[in-house]
Amino acid sequence: MENAAIDAAALAGSAPPSDLTIIGLFLQADIVVKIVILILVLASFWTWAIIFDKVIRIRRLTSLADKFEESFWSGGSLEELFDRISNRPPDPMSAIFVAAMREWRRSAAKGLLGTDQLRTNLQDRIERVMDITLGREMEQLERHLIYLASVGSSAPFIGLFGTVWGIMNSFASIAAAKNTTLAVVAPGIAEALFATALGLVAAIPAVLAYNKLSGDISRYGHRLEAFSGEFGAILSRQLEEKR
């Protein structure tokens, strides 16, 4: 009996050591778990790329909007400002201004300011042009935000799938080896939990970034809408003076 106990202990102690480092867990994992890990790593990498791109872009556009508004409200000629930036508007606010001024100039060049009806039609066209430009610019700015929301909601479940699959393999290994020692169970459980951890690593930054960037973009959109309304009012007063 004593010899049997010694043999069992020796068998448990002679189990090959497992590499529980991150790379070791990946290399020892089942092919399905490896695919899950690769998907989550790529998702996390692309998430951070989008985050850095959006943060830098929003800061740059905010700075450009500050500079444009400073020039716009400085009291200088709007015609000169249009001539200076019309070829390549550097930011969405400038693009809205250029679109409205271009429509104004085209109508004036065609003599479409002669009657009250024509002036009313021009005002409607200018408002539509500014709305279309604003929508197009906001669509560009909001691009890829849906990806962050998708990663934030799906990555934990993808990691959970890898965990469930890894645990299933662990129980299969236990049944095949007929040995329930920690040396047999631990590697498979560690691989499974590693997939869950990666799912959370991918999801948490994506959710936080989505909420933060959505708020920043929404505030920037309200700023564009406010400028569009103010500029529309200025052009409306100009049309009233021509009556």
Side-chain angles (χ1 to χ4, degrees):
M1 185 71 179
E2 183 179 355
N3 290 336
I6 293 175
D7 291 341
L11 179 61
S14 62
S18 297
D19 185 1
L20 297 182
T21 63
I22 292 178
I23 297 177
L25 290 175
F26 174 77
L27 294 177
Q28 297 169 23
D30 179 80
I31 183 63
V32 174
V33 179
K34 284 181 179 178
I35 292 174
V36 168
I37 290 173
L38 288 175
I39 290 174
L40 292 174
V41 169
L42 292 175
S44 181
F45 176 80
W46 187 238
T47 294
W48 281 105
I50 292 174
I51 291 172
F52 284 122
D53 174 70
K54 293 297 182 184
V55 169
I56 294 172
R57 187 175 182 187
I58 291 173
R59 288 181 179 177
R60 182 176 63 84
L61 293 181
T62 301
S63 176
L64 290 172
D66 292 338
K67 293 179 181 178
F68 173 78
E69 283 194 312
E70 183 179 352
S71 300
F72 182 85
W73 297 110
S74 64
S77 171
L78 296 183
E79 297 286 346
E80 293 180 0
L81 179 60
F82 172 77
D83 291 335
R84 192 165 65 245
I85 66 174
S86 60
N87 290 333
R88 185 174 295 180
D91 66 288
M93 188 173 290
S94 301
I96 293 172
F97 167 77
V98 167
M101 286 295 294
R102 183 175 289 122
E103 184 63 32
W104 173 282
R105 280 193 171 183
R106 287 175 179 171
S107 299
K110 294 179 180 179
L112 299 180
L113 303 177
T115 66
D116 290 346
Q117 183 61 43
L118 290 175
R119 285 190 287 269
T120 300
N121 292 340
L122 172 59
Q123 185 173 351
D124 292 340
R125 287 198 304 274
I126 288 175
E127 290 178 356
R128 285 198 300 271
V129 164
M130 289 194 294
D131 289 341
I132 292 171
T133 304
L134 190 152
R136 183 170 58 246
E137 296 292 339
M138 290 302 298
E139 183 179 356
Q140 290 289 330
L141 190 57
E142 291 172 349
R143 182 178 297 179
H144 300 314
L145 275 186
I146 190 65
Y147 173 83
L148 296 181
S150 300
V151 170
S153 61
S154 63
F157 296 101
I158 296 174
L160 183 61
F161 169 75
T163 298
V164 172
W165 190 272
I167 290 176
M168 288 171 55
N169 286 336
S170 296
F171 282 120
S173 299
I174 292 172
K178 297 180 180 180
N179 189 353
T180 58
T181 60
L182 189 60
V184 174
V185 178
I189 298 297
E191 296 164 10
L193 294 178
F194 181 49
T196 297
L198 280 181
L200 295 177
V201 167
I204 292 174
V207 171
L208 295 177
Y210 176 80
N211 293 334
K212 176 65 168 60
L213 293 173
S214 295
D216 292 343
I217 291 175
S218 178
R219 283 189 293 272
Y220 183 76
H222 291 325
R223 184 177 181 181
L224 294 181
E225 291 175 358
F227 171 77
S228 178
E230 291 172 342
F231 188 42
I234 292 173
L235 294 179
S236 178
R237 286 194 295 271
Q238 293 287 335
L239 291 173
E240 289 291 335
E241 292 174 359
K242 293 182 180 293
R243 293 184 178 181

